[in-house]
Amino acid sequence: MKIWIKAAGVRAVKTMAQSAIAMIGTSAVLDDVNWVGVVSAAVLAGVLSLLTSVAGLPECKE
């Protein structure tokens, strides 16, 4: 279980970072970034990543 938590956490953080970068990239300048939207999308992506990881992770094959 400890291995799964670590692997799922790493995947979730990476997914959140990718989502945030994508949201920030949609703005022409840094002042136009909707930070509430960025954080919201990143958190949602992290939750979805964790839920997807429940189906199984290749790193945790026994």
Side-chain angles (χ1 to χ4, degrees):
M1 183 69 161
K2 190 175 181 180
I3 295 171
W4 183 88
I5 292 171
K6 182 177 179 183
V10 167
R11 281 178 175 243
V13 169
K14 286 181 180 180
T15 301
M16 290 172 71
Q18 291 168 346
S19 176
I21 290 168
M23 290 290 291
I24 292 168
T26 62
S27 299
V29 291
L30 206 55
D31 291 341
D32 292 336
V33 175
N34 178 355
W35 292 107
V36 173
V38 170
V39 171
S40 176
V43 169
L44 178 60
V47 170
L48 292 175
S49 175
L50 288 173
L51 291 174
T52 303
S53 295
V54 170
L57 295 172
E59 300 93 325
C60 297
K61 297 256 179 181
E62 296 179 52

